[in-house]
Amino acid sequence: MRYLYIALFVGLISSTAMSLYLYIIETFTGKQLYTLLLNIDFIYTPSETVPENFYLAFEYALHVIVATVIVTFYLYLITKKESFWNKRMEIAAILSFMAFLTYFPLTILAVTKTPNAFDIMAIFDWFIAHVIFFFMMYYISEWLLVRNHSKQDH
């Protein structure tokens, strides 16, 4: 159960850091990267009777849930599969890179205005956001796992 708490905490912090970075990029450059991050308009059409803030909160919560699932999978791999324990950083990097690759299908499927699928600067900023996610996932998880292990030793 403690791994679930770690996953929730790390998922929330890492997805928030990534969101904040993309929000700042969108604010200063106008590139719709934060919009792309939260965008699921290809799945549903927002109703005019439901406030827009509800959809923003739902989309953000969905983003946090996806990040938490990634972190949960990461924790599962490194704690339950002994062969992965010494490859924690590599596993975190692979999972983050796989999340980075969502840029291409998301830009192609998006109904609202988002960056072009081959906009080099947008891809670079999306990559940096996922590097932020990687560092947050890896280092916060490491810190919490070490802290957890030291509590178990006492």
Side-chain angles (χ1 to χ4, degrees), residues 67-125:
T68 302
V69 167
I70 292 170
V71 175
T72 301
F73 185 61
Y74 168 71
L75 292 172
Y76 170 77
L77 288 176
I78 67 168
T79 59
K80 302 296 183 211
K81 306 286 184 190
E82 284 186 29
S83 59
F84 290 135
W85 180 251
N86 292 326
K87 298 182 181 354
R88 296 184 307 276
M89 186 175 275
E90 293 89 341
I91 300 298
I94 289 168
L95 292 174
S96 298
F97 184 73
M98 290 171 62
F100 156 75
L101 292 176
T102 62
Y103 175 85
F104 300 101
L106 288 176
T107 55
I108 292 166
L109 292 172
V111 175
T112 59
K113 186 178 185 292
T114 60
N116 183 305
F118 301 102
D119 180 332
I120 297 298
M121 284 310 299
I123 293 169
F124 177 75
D125 286 329

Side-chain angles (χ1 to χ4, degrees), residues 15-56:
S15 64
T16 300
M18 182 180 172
S19 298
L20 183 59
Y21 172 76
L22 291 174
Y23 180 79
I24 291 168
I25 293 297
E26 184 169 314
T27 300
F28 285 107
T29 68
K31 293 209 184 269
Q32 302 290 319
L33 289 166
Y34 179 73
T35 301
L36 180 65
L37 181 70
L38 301 184
N39 188 20
I40 55 170
D41 65 358
F42 51 87
I43 297 174
Y44 73 93
T45 305
S47 168
E48 304 228 352
T49 59
V50 178
E52 183 180 347
N53 288 343
F54 171 80
Y55 286 112
L56 290 173

Side-chain angles (χ1 to χ4, degrees), residues 9 15 68 89 128 134 145:
F9 180 75
S15 64
T68 302
M89 186 175 275
I128 295 300
F134 157 75
L145 288 172

